[in-house]
Structure formats: C-alpha cells, structure tokens
Amino acid sequence: MQTVETLNEGLKRAYTLTITAKDIEKKVDAELKRVAPQIRMPGFRPGKVPTNLVRKMHGPALLQDALNTSIQEGVQSLLADQQLRPAMQPSVELADGYEPGKDAELKVELEVLPQVPAPAIENLKLERLTVPVADEAVEEQLRKFADQMKRWEDAKPSHKARLGDQVTVDFVGKTMDGVAFEGGTGTDMAIELGEGRLIPGFEDQVVGVKNGEERQIKVTFPEDYPAKELAGKDATFDLTVKSVKTAAESKIDEDLAKNLGLESLEQLKGLLKGQIEQEHNGLTRTYMKRKLLDQLAAGHDFEVPPSMVEAEFTQIWQQLEHEATHEADPKAAMEELENDRDDYRKIAERRVRLGLLLSEIGQANGVEVTQQEMNRLIAQAAQQYRGEDQKRFIQYIQQEPMAAAQLRAPLYEDKVVDFLFDKAEVTDRETTREELEAAIESDDGFSTGTHSHDHDNHKPRQKKAAATKKAAAGEEAAEKPAAKKAPARKAVAKDEAPAEEAAKPAAKKAPAKKAAAKDEALAEEVAKPAAKKAPAKKPAAKKEG
C-alpha cells in the first residue's frame, strides 16, 4: 500500500492511499479458499465444488468483501503508521474509475485531536457550600407527604364538587358528529379536581357536579395530542358521576408511617431527612463542579477540531429548537435564539475543549472505569428494555465500542471530577438552600458566558433564561447528535461537559427504543477512536449471490 499525504493544515489531514490489485486479489483468493468448502451445488459432493466455479458464481461478492476488507485495513494501518488520533470518523472515499483487476485509490480525510497541553491542576481552589437540614424542612416535607396520602370520604348527597375533591366518573368520548372514538370510553375514573392531569377544560367543567349526575362537557384536544386523529379537534364527553369525595384531614401520626410499612413516625422522618440531605449534596456538587470547570476553562486554551464543535453545536441547537416549540410564542423564541447563535457556538467550543481536557487529566492520572462498574452500568441501562430487546441491547453495547464509551462516559467524568476535588484546596461555608440555588443559577460562575440549566431545580429568573441559554449549560448533559443513541436517559442540551461521543459519530442505533445519554464530559475514549473501522463511501461493486 502506498500512502501520500495531501493535506496537513492545523488539525486537518488528508491522504491518498493506493491498494494494489495484487493485494486485493490475495484477499479474494483467501476468501475463496475459506468459503469453497461450504458451497453446495447440484452434481458435486459437499465441499467438492471446483474453486473456478465458485469464483464464477460468487466472484463479484468475493471481490466486494475483499475490497472492503482492504479499505478497512488500509485506513487502520494509516492511522497506526502516522500515529493519528481522529477527532471524528474519517471520511473514506473510493476514487472514481475503479475497476476489478486495477489498483484501488482511496481519499482519506480527517481531523485529528489536538495535543492537549499538560493540564494545570495543582492550584485549584474551590468553595463547598453546604446546607444543613433544618427541622422545619423535614416537617414541610412530611406535610407534603401526608397530603399525598389523602384519605377520601364520601361527600353529602347535596355537595357540589369543588377543587380539591375527588370525582369518580364513567365516560364516553365522542367526535362532534356523535361518533364514539377509540380509547374514549372508560369506567370508574377517579379525578382529583385541580390536579390538571386531564386535557385543558375537562376538570373545569366537572366542578359543580353531584353524585349520580349526568353531564356532557365539550373540550378541544391539544395540537400536540399523541392521537393524531384527535389532535386539535373538538369533542364531547358524556359523564356519569359515580361518587364525589372530599379529602379528610391529613394526620401526621404513627398510623401514617405504619401504613407505609415503616415501624414509626421517627423512621419516616429519618428517611425524609436523608432524602433532603441527598438533594442538598447534589446541589453542592453541582455548584462545585461548575466552579471547577470554570477554572479549567479559564486556565486552558487550545485549538479544538471544528467538526467536533459543529457536532456539539448541532446537538445544543436541536435541543433549544425543541424547547422553543413549547414556548408560548415559538416564533419569537426562535428569533431570540437566532440572535444568540454565536454565543451557543462558543458554548459548544467550550464543551469540546473541557471534554478533551478532562480526558487528558483522567488518562494522565490513571482514572478508569472498572469492568465491574461497566457491567453495572449496562445492567442498569438494560432495565428500560424487555425480553429480547434487553438481550439485543446488551449485545449491542458489547459489540459497539462507541456505544459502550457513551454509556461509560458520565461515570468516567464523575471519577475525574472527584479526582480533581481531592486535588483542590476546598473551603467549606454553610448557607441556605435558596442561596445555593441562586448561586448555581447565577451568571457569575461562568467566565465563558455559559449559563445554568437543571430541569429539577432550575427556576428561571426571566423569560430569556427560561427559553434559551438556560439550556446550554448545566451539570446533566445530552445525547450527542453525531453519535447514534444508546442508553436511555432524559436529554437536555447542557454545557458542563462535552467531548467523548462527539468524536464518535458512527455508532449504530440501540434496539427497540429511542434513547439518550448523559454527556457530561464524554471524555474517556476520546483518545482511542481508531478502533472503529472506517467504511468506504463508494463500494466497488454490488454484492451478489
């Protein structure tokens, strides 16, 4: 194989590879010897079909396989010989004019990972904001918990249902021409008025009913209603009220705990306190991590592959466009997004740079995810599937290095972050939950212009933050757009961590379910993408037989 470098500019590389006809023919002969004993043909004993007949019948297919194998091996040799670390899957194209029996000329283009300077991690300083759990917070959670465990009592016959009451109905849904529609009929459906669980307008029209009453209500299904034949359409529901119940006073006592299978009220309080502590610890970690990443971003500046930045930006932008469709005025939200497009591209660049940096830190300091930890991750992710789909998912993860890396990445990043926490000089300061949440949401911690976004705790201070930049930064991260999806998680475009899977666009889809992945740093395997074979864009011939 002959190799000629045709481009070496920044992080971009291009090569011309020439695979000789002789080498291709050797692979055809080897494949012919391998498959010939397996060929069955009338008039010949099993395994005794002459090789010349096998070649005549299956020659094009054998040539195709040999050519593809040669291309894959050629690209892998190129990466190894030139010590290249691709940032994204290399582009491999078979030059026009190839014919069987001739040399095959390949055009290989790629971007390589930069040489990341030795990370400066010796003088990191962090503040750990801690929130003690006050008795009042436990009591508040206990009250909310008791309210969720409501006891319902039959209302008086004359009682008219009010917000907060529970109404049980039989119902029949019909189109405006009086035809009952599929899925629109039910019995003994309990509705807690005011919860807002049903389509807009339904509960409002149930307010005021009495036990035994029959009532027809009219509703309009939302435009995004899952049943497309009903989306945006008017309909009626014929209701028969089976019962009206009012909520009895929620008591916080030993019986409440025992009804939950616990031994005492004190045990319930202890569990709730532990839950609040866990929430506080999560907020504390989020704050520290963002401060840590800000310090790393401010102290390191190096060129990053444009293709990785583009893939990261695409992922962020797609998520923001999706969120904009759920704004009160989607068009205005999109216009606002367009005004900030450059800011989001900078965020994407920051995410990629941080991912490469965390990868370098982890590899330089021996951070790794053990096989036992990986097996646990696979088992947890597989729980979203059932039966054969679960088996296919596990097999997919085991066979696809990039999918496995994507699954591994969040844990790997957590371990790198924990390593850096141990290296940093940490000071503790006690604060309140409100102040900690405000610190997380504040712009002050983002020297590169990124902003916070956390679906569980985020409380937007203004419309713009809620609609746009809140989605570009945060601790939890999103599935990478360039990589096909693997384990299922809730996805949201965020900043805290960027890179491993942006470098791996060719992973195949996981079975049966649309999925997403936490992207945090996605850093561990970023230095090892060459393990994936690069297929040619143009096959030499159609596979036959």
Side-chain angles (χ1 to χ4, degrees), residues 291-342:
K291 289 294 186 181
L292 169 68
L293 294 180
D294 280 338
Q295 289 187 47
L296 292 176
H300 301 85
D301 186 18
F302 51 87
E303 184 181 8
V304 294
S307 58
M308 292 179 70
V309 175
E310 185 61 32
E312 191 69 31
F313 172 76
T314 299
Q315 178 260 307
I316 293 173
W317 198 253
Q318 288 176 343
Q319 183 66 26
L320 293 175
E321 286 183 322
H322 173 74
E323 292 189 2
T325 62
H326 292 82
E327 292 292 316
D329 187 345
K331 183 178 179 180
M334 279 304 304
E335 290 176 352
E336 190 172 15
L337 276 182
E338 289 293 343
N339 292 335
D340 294 329
R341 180 183 283 268
D342 290 344

Coordinates of all heavy atoms in Angstrom, one line a residue, residues 291-342:
K291 N -17.9 25.5 39.3 CA -16.8 26.3 39.6 C -15.5 25.7 39.1 O -14.5 26.4 38.6 CB -16.7 26.6 41.1 CG -17.8 27.5 41.6 CD -17.7 28.9 41.1 CE -18.7 29.9 41.7 NZ -18.5 31.2 41.2
L292 N -15.4 24.4 39.3 CA -14.2 23.7 38.9 C -14.0 23.8 37.4 O -12.9 24.1 36.9 CB -14.3 22.2 39.2 CG -13.3 21.2 38.6 CD1 -11.9 21.5 39.2 CD2 -13.6 19.8 38.9
L293 N -15.0 23.5 36.6 CA -14.9 23.6 35.2 C -14.7 25.0 34.7 O -14.0 25.2 33.7 CB -16.2 23.1 34.5 CG -16.5 21.6 34.7 CD1 -17.8 21.1 34.0 CD2 -15.3 20.7 34.2
D294 N -15.2 26.0 35.4 CA -14.9 27.4 35.0 C -13.4 27.7 35.2 O -12.8 28.3 34.3 CB -15.7 28.4 35.9 CG -17.1 28.6 35.4 OD1 -17.4 28.3 34.2 OD2 -18.0 29.0 36.2
Q295 N -12.8 27.2 36.3 CA -11.4 27.4 36.5 C -10.5 26.7 35.4 O -9.6 27.2 34.9 CB -10.9 26.8 37.8 CG -11.4 27.7 39.0 CD -10.9 27.3 40.3 OE1 -9.7 27.0 40.5 NE2 -11.7 27.1 41.3
L296 N -11.0 25.4 35.0 CA -10.2 24.7 34.0 C -10.4 25.4 32.6 O -9.4 25.6 31.9 CB -10.8 23.3 33.8 CG -10.5 22.4 35.0 CD1 -11.2 21.0 34.8 CD2 -9.0 22.1 35.2
A297 N -11.6 25.9 32.3 CA -11.8 26.6 31.1 C -11.0 27.9 31.0 O -10.5 28.3 29.9 CB -13.3 26.9 30.9
A298 N -10.9 28.6 32.1 CA -10.2 29.9 32.1 C -8.7 29.7 32.0 O -8.0 30.6 31.5 CB -10.5 30.6 33.4
G299 N -8.2 28.5 32.5 CA -6.8 28.3 32.5 C -6.2 27.5 31.3 O -5.0 27.3 31.3
H300 N -7.0 27.1 30.4 CA -6.6 26.4 29.3 C -7.2 26.8 28.0 O -8.4 26.9 27.9 CB -6.8 24.9 29.5 CG -6.2 24.3 30.7 ND1 -6.8 24.4 32.0 CD2 -5.0 23.7 30.9 CE1 -6.1 23.8 32.9 NE2 -5.0 23.4 32.2
D301 N -6.4 27.1 27.0 CA -6.9 27.5 25.7 C -6.1 26.8 24.6 O -4.9 27.0 24.5 CB -6.8 29.0 25.6 CG -7.5 29.5 24.3 OD1 -8.3 28.7 23.7 OD2 -7.2 30.7 23.9
F302 N -6.7 26.0 23.8 CA -6.0 25.3 22.7 C -7.0 25.0 21.6 O -8.2 25.0 21.8 CB -5.4 24.0 23.2 CG -6.3 23.1 23.9 CD1 -7.1 22.1 23.2 CD2 -6.4 23.1 25.3 CE1 -8.0 21.3 23.9 CE2 -7.3 22.3 26.0 CZ -8.1 21.4 25.3
E303 N -6.5 24.8 20.4 CA -7.3 24.6 19.2 C -8.1 23.3 19.4 O -7.6 22.3 19.9 CB -6.5 24.5 18.0 CG -7.3 24.4 16.7 CD -6.4 24.3 15.5 OE1 -5.1 24.2 15.6 OE2 -6.9 24.4 14.3
V304 N -9.4 23.3 19.0 CA -10.2 22.1 19.0 C -10.7 21.8 17.6 O -10.9 22.7 16.8 CB -11.4 22.3 20.0 CG1 -10.9 22.4 21.4 CG2 -12.3 23.5 19.7
P305 N -11.0 20.6 17.3 CA -11.4 20.2 16.0 C -12.8 20.8 15.6 O -13.8 20.7 16.3 CB -11.6 18.7 16.1 CG -10.7 18.3 17.2 CD -10.8 19.4 18.2
P306 N -12.8 21.6 14.5 CA -14.1 22.2 14.1 C -15.3 21.2 13.9 O -16.4 21.6 14.2 CB -13.7 22.8 12.8 CG -12.3 23.1 12.8 CD -11.7 21.9 13.6
S307 N -15.0 20.0 13.5 CA -16.0 19.0 13.3 C -16.7 18.6 14.6 O -17.9 18.4 14.7 CB -15.5 17.8 12.6 OG -14.5 17.2 13.3
M308 N -15.9 18.5 15.7 CA -16.4 18.2 17.0 C -17.3 19.4 17.5 O -18.3 19.2 18.1 CB -15.3 17.9 18.0 CG -14.5 16.6 17.7 SD -13.2 16.3 18.8 CE -14.1 15.9 20.3
V309 N -16.8 20.6 17.3 CA -17.5 21.8 17.7 C -18.9 21.8 17.0 O -19.9 22.1 17.6 CB -16.7 23.1 17.5 CG1 -17.6 24.3 17.8 CG2 -15.5 23.1 18.3
E310 N -18.8 21.6 15.7 CA -20.1 21.6 14.9 C -21.0 20.5 15.4 O -22.3 20.8 15.5 CB -19.7 21.4 13.4 CG -20.9 21.5 12.5 CD -21.6 22.9 12.5 OE1 -20.8 23.9 12.7 OE2 -22.8 23.0 12.4
A311 N -20.6 19.3 15.7 CA -21.4 18.3 16.2 C -22.0 18.7 17.5 O -23.2 18.5 17.8 CB -20.7 17.0 16.3
E312 N -21.2 19.3 18.4 CA -21.7 19.7 19.7 C -22.7 20.8 19.5 O -23.8 20.9 20.2 CB -20.5 20.2 20.5 CG -20.8 20.4 22.0 CD -21.1 19.1 22.7 OE1 -20.6 18.1 22.3 OE2 -21.9 19.1 23.6
F313 N -22.4 21.8 18.7 CA -23.4 22.9 18.4 C -24.7 22.4 17.9 O -25.8 22.8 18.3 CB -22.7 23.9 17.5 CG -23.7 25.0 17.0 CD1 -24.0 26.0 17.9 CD2 -24.3 24.9 15.8 CE1 -24.9 27.0 17.5 CE2 -25.2 25.9 15.4 CZ -25.5 26.9 16.2
T314 N -24.6 21.4 17.0 CA -25.8 20.9 16.4 C -26.7 20.3 17.5 O -27.9 20.4 17.5 CB -25.5 19.8 15.3 OG1 -24.8 20.5 14.3 CG2 -26.8 19.2 14.7
Q315 N -26.1 19.5 18.4 CA -26.8 18.9 19.5 C -27.5 20.0 20.4 O -28.7 19.8 20.7 CB -25.9 18.0 20.3 CG -26.5 17.3 21.5 CD -26.2 18.1 22.8 OE1 -25.1 18.4 23.1 NE2 -27.2 18.4 23.5
I316 N -26.7 21.0 20.7 CA -27.3 22.1 21.5 C -28.4 22.7 20.8 O -29.5 23.0 21.4 CB -26.2 23.1 21.9 CG1 -25.1 22.5 22.8 CG2 -26.8 24.3 22.5 CD1 -23.9 23.4 23.0
W317 N -28.2 23.0 19.5 CA -29.2 23.8 18.8 C -30.5 23.0 18.6 O -31.6 23.5 18.7 CB -28.6 24.2 17.4 CG -29.4 25.3 16.8 CD1 -30.2 25.3 15.7 CD2 -29.4 26.7 17.2 NE1 -30.7 26.5 15.4 CE2 -30.3 27.4 16.3 CE3 -28.8 27.4 18.2 CZ2 -30.5 28.8 16.4 CZ3 -29.0 28.8 18.3 CH2 -29.9 29.4 17.5
Q318 N -30.4 21.7 18.3 CA -31.6 20.9 18.2 C -32.4 20.9 19.5 O -33.6 20.9 19.4 CB -31.2 19.5 17.8 CG -30.7 19.4 16.3 CD -30.2 17.9 16.0 OE1 -29.9 17.1 16.9 NE2 -30.1 17.7 14.7
Q319 N -31.7 20.8 20.6 CA -32.4 20.8 21.9 C -33.1 22.1 22.1 O -34.3 22.2 22.5 CB -31.5 20.5 23.0 CG -32.1 20.4 24.4 CD -33.1 19.2 24.5 OE1 -32.9 18.2 23.7 NE2 -34.1 19.3 25.3
L320 N -32.4 23.2 21.8 CA -33.0 24.5 22.0 C -34.2 24.7 21.1 O -35.2 25.3 21.5 CB -32.0 25.6 21.8 CG -30.8 25.6 22.8 CD1 -29.8 26.7 22.4 CD2 -31.4 25.9 24.2
E321 N -34.1 24.3 19.8 CA -35.2 24.4 18.9 C -36.4 23.6 19.4 O -37.6 24.1 19.3 CB -34.8 23.9 17.5 CG -33.9 24.8 16.8 CD -33.6 24.3 15.4 OE1 -33.4 23.1 15.2 OE2 -33.5 25.1 14.4
H322 N -36.1 22.5 20.0 CA -37.2 21.6 20.5 C -37.9 22.4 21.7 O -39.1 22.4 21.8 CB -36.7 20.3 21.0 CG -37.7 19.5 21.7 ND1 -38.7 18.8 21.1 CD2 -37.8 19.2 23.1 CE1 -39.4 18.2 22.0 NE2 -38.9 18.4 23.2
E323 N -37.1 23.0 22.6 CA -37.7 23.7 23.7 C -38.4 24.9 23.2 O -39.5 25.3 23.8 CB -36.6 24.1 24.7 CG -35.9 22.9 25.4 CD -35.0 23.4 26.5 OE1 -34.8 24.6 26.7 OE2 -34.4 22.5 27.1
A324 N -38.0 25.6 22.2 CA -38.6 26.8 21.7 C -40.0 26.4 21.2 O -41.0 27.3 21.3 CB -37.8 27.4 20.5
T325 N -40.2 25.2 20.7 CA -41.6 24.8 20.2 C -42.6 24.8 21.3 O -43.8 24.8 21.1 CB -41.5 23.5 19.4 OG1 -41.1 22.5 20.3 CG2 -40.6 23.6 18.3
H326 N -42.1 24.7 22.5 CA -43.0 24.6 23.7 C -43.2 25.9 24.4 O -43.8 26.0 25.4 CB -42.5 23.5 24.7 CG -42.6 22.1 24.2 ND1 -41.6 21.6 23.3 CD2 -43.5 21.1 24.3 CE1 -41.9 20.4 23.0 NE2 -43.1 20.1 23.6
E327 N -42.6 27.0 23.8 CA -42.8 28.3 24.4 C -44.2 28.8 24.0 O -44.8 28.4 23.0 CB -41.7 29.3 23.9 CG -40.3 29.0 24.5 CD -40.3 29.2 25.9 OE1 -40.8 30.3 26.4 OE2 -39.7 28.4 26.7
A328 N -44.7 29.8 24.7 CA -46.0 30.4 24.4 C -46.0 31.0 23.0 O -47.0 30.9 22.3 CB -46.3 31.5 25.4
D329 N -44.8 31.6 22.6 CA -44.7 32.2 21.3 C -43.5 31.5 20.6 O -42.4 32.1 20.7 CB -44.6 33.7 21.3 CG -44.6 34.4 20.0 OD1 -44.4 33.6 19.0 OD2 -44.8 35.6 19.9
P330 N -43.6 30.4 20.0 CA -42.5 29.7 19.4 C -41.7 30.5 18.4 O -40.4 30.5 18.4 CB -43.1 28.5 18.7 CG -44.4 28.2 19.4 CD -44.9 29.6 19.8
K331 N -42.4 31.3 17.6 CA -41.7 32.1 16.6 C -40.8 33.1 17.3 O -39.6 33.3 16.9 CB -42.7 32.8 15.7 CG -42.1 33.6 14.6 CD -43.1 34.3 13.7 CE -42.5 35.1 12.6 NZ -43.5 35.8 11.7
A332 N -41.3 33.8 18.3 CA -40.5 34.8 19.0 C -39.3 34.1 19.7 O -38.2 34.7 19.7 CB -41.3 35.6 20.0
A333 N -39.5 32.9 20.2 CA -38.5 32.2 20.9 C -37.4 31.9 19.9 O -36.2 32.0 20.3 CB -39.0 31.0 21.6
M334 N -37.7 31.5 18.7 CA -36.7 31.1 17.7 C -36.0 32.3 17.3 O -34.7 32.3 17.0 CB -37.4 30.4 16.5 CG -37.7 29.0 16.7 SD -36.2 28.0 17.1 CE -35.1 28.4 15.8
E335 N -36.6 33.5 17.1 CA -35.9 34.7 16.8 C -34.9 35.1 17.8 O -33.8 35.5 17.5 CB -37.0 35.8 16.6 CG -37.8 35.6 15.3 CD -38.9 36.7 15.2 OE1 -39.0 37.5 16.2 OE2 -39.6 36.8 14.2
E336 N -35.3 34.9 19.1 CA -34.4 35.2 20.2 C -33.2 34.2 20.1 O -32.0 34.6 20.4 CB -35.1 35.1 21.5 CG -34.3 35.6 22.7 CD -35.1 35.6 24.0 OE1 -36.2 35.0 24.0 OE2 -34.7 36.3 24.9
L337 N -33.4 33.0 19.8 CA -32.3 32.0 19.7 C -31.4 32.4 18.6 O -30.2 32.4 18.8 CB -32.9 30.6 19.4 CG -33.4 29.7 20.5 CD1 -33.9 28.4 20.0 CD2 -32.3 29.5 21.5
E338 N -31.9 32.8 17.5 CA -31.0 33.2 16.3 C -30.1 34.4 16.7 O -29.0 34.4 16.3 CB -31.9 33.6 15.1 CG -32.6 32.4 14.5 CD -31.6 31.5 13.8 OE1 -30.5 31.9 13.6 OE2 -32.1 30.3 13.5
N339 N -30.6 35.3 17.6 CA -29.8 36.4 18.0 C -28.6 35.9 18.8 O -27.6 36.6 18.9 CB -30.6 37.4 18.8 CG -31.6 38.1 17.9 OD1 -31.5 38.2 16.7 ND2 -32.7 38.5 18.6
D340 N -28.7 34.7 19.5 CA -27.7 34.2 20.3 C -26.9 33.1 19.7 O -26.2 32.4 20.4 CB -28.3 33.8 21.7 CG -28.9 35.0 22.5 OD1 -28.3 36.1 22.3 OD2 -29.8 34.8 23.2
R341 N -27.1 32.9 18.4 CA -26.4 31.7 17.8 C -24.9 31.7 18.1 O -24.3 30.6 18.4 CB -26.7 31.7 16.3 CG -26.1 30.5 15.6 CD -26.4 30.7 14.1 NE -27.7 30.3 13.7 CZ -28.1 29.0 13.4 NH1 -27.1 28.1 13.4 NH2 -29.3 28.7 13.1
D342 N -24.3 32.8 17.9 CA -22.8 32.8 18.1 C -22.4 32.5 19.5 O -21.4 31.8 19.8 CB -22.3 34.2 17.8 CG -22.3 34.5 16.3 OD1 -22.5 33.6 15.5 OD2 -22.2 35.7 15.9

